[in-house]
Amino acid sequence: MTGVVVTDIQRADAAVAAALAEFGSATVHEAMGRIGYAGPRLRPIQQGARIAGTAITVSVAPGDNLMVHAAIEQAREGDVIVVVPISDSAFGFIGDLMATQMKARGVRGYVTTGGVRDTQELREMGFPVWTRHVSAQGTVKDTAGSVNVPVILDDVEVRPGDIVVADDDGVTIVPRRRAEEALSASRARAAKETANRARYLSGEISMDLNGLRPVLDDLGVRYVTQEDHDGGR
């Protein structure tokens, strides 16, 4: 495995990335047309954290965190480090010492299909992480990989400079070139949800507000009494 470290990536606009954090992974995913969600296997080690930042991508060998160290050098304020082993790897690729470096450089969080350790310390220091594995097993530093190349984060491609939106519901990736579009769509969806919430509070229900009765009719769903359903028994 040979690799590269790409040093001069183009990032999505920092203000747009920061603004997307307000809406969260589910709203952004829906607003973009139900794309970008990385899947249910990536879970937060904490609760209540909501971030968005630009991706520093890392492709690593299983059980080897050498390139994560190289990625930290490339990171800057507002980035999120995204680490993908080339095969499933339940090792603790980072712990509190590496997170301390990231936090000092302004990194907003860490996302990986590998594993992490020192989770209590990470929570205490307020460094948010989304991961497939929590593992005490340590790593080596023997194998080349790559920094700032496209990676596949479970169910979605991440390119360097894309926007990572992450919260309690998971991780959604916004392609760099669609950042402003995603922000506009997220704002529109959030406004619609606010209006609908007010109508629900006033007593309306989603069956009517979303026009679902004709859908049930078209699917052949019938309303019957208990007596008719039980056949008079």
Side-chain angles (χ1 to χ4, degrees):
M1 180 178 179
T2 59
V4 297
V5 176
V6 182
T7 62
D8 57 344
I9 65 168
Q10 292 183 292
R11 291 168 169 84
D13 182 85
V16 174
L20 281 167
E22 172 187 348
F23 302 103
S25 62
T27 294
V28 174
H29 161 67
E30 294 279 359
M32 289 197 300
R34 298 183 179 178
I35 66 169
Y37 174 51
R41 293 186 292 177
L42 292 176
R43 303 300 305 147
I45 66 166
Q46 67 286 310
Q47 292 291 299
R50 176 177 285 188
I51 67 166
T54 44
I56 294 289
T57 58
V58 194
S59 177
V60 297
D64 193 309
N65 75 350
L66 174 62
M67 302 312 295
V68 184
H69 291 268
I72 292 172
E73 183 182 31
Q74 299 304 313
R76 69 186 193 193
E77 180 82 31
D79 283 338
V80 176
I81 293 183
V82 178
V83 175
V84 178
I86 60 173
S87 62
D88 193 36
S89 189
F91 289 74
F93 282 82
I94 71 157
D96 68 307
L97 290 179
M98 294 185 73
T100 297
Q101 299 176 63
M102 296 182 211
K103 190 171 183 180
R105 297 180 76 85
V107 172
R108 290 185 176 151
Y110 181 88
V111 175
T112 184
T113 55
V116 299
R117 61 184 183 180
D118 299 339
T119 54
Q120 179 179 343
E121 289 84 355
L122 295 176
R123 286 189 292 270
E124 290 173 349
M125 66 189 288
F127 185 74
V129 169
W130 288 258
T131 184
R132 190 188 288 178
H133 305 288
V134 172
S135 174
Q137 188 169 12
T139 57
V140 296
K141 300 168 181 62
D142 295 333
T143 310
S146 292
V147 176
N148 287 328
V149 299
V151 295
I152 302 298
L153 183 72
D154 265 0
D155 294 336
V156 67
E157 182 182 56
V158 188
R159 292 180 173 272
D162 286 349
I163 296 175
V164 181
V165 183
D167 58 13
D168 289 350
D169 293 330
V171 178
T172 293
I173 303 302
V174 178
R176 177 175 62 86
R177 296 185 184 279
R178 294 191 61 185
E180 292 188 5
E181 171 194 346
L183 178 57
S184 177
S186 296
R187 284 172 171 161
R189 182 174 180 84
K192 181 180 179 181
E193 289 178 350
T194 297
N196 286 350
R197 188 174 297 107
R199 295 178 69 175
Y200 293 147
L201 287 170
S202 73
E204 293 187 68
I205 62 174
S206 55
M207 281 288 293
D208 297 318
L209 195 59
N210 295 333
L212 298 178
R213 297 188 192 282
V215 177
L216 293 180
D217 289 341
D218 290 343
L219 292 172
V221 178
R222 298 180 300 118
Y223 286 78
V224 298
T225 65
Q226 182 75 61
E227 181 179 4
D228 288 342
H229 183 265
D230 292 346
R233 293 191 299 273

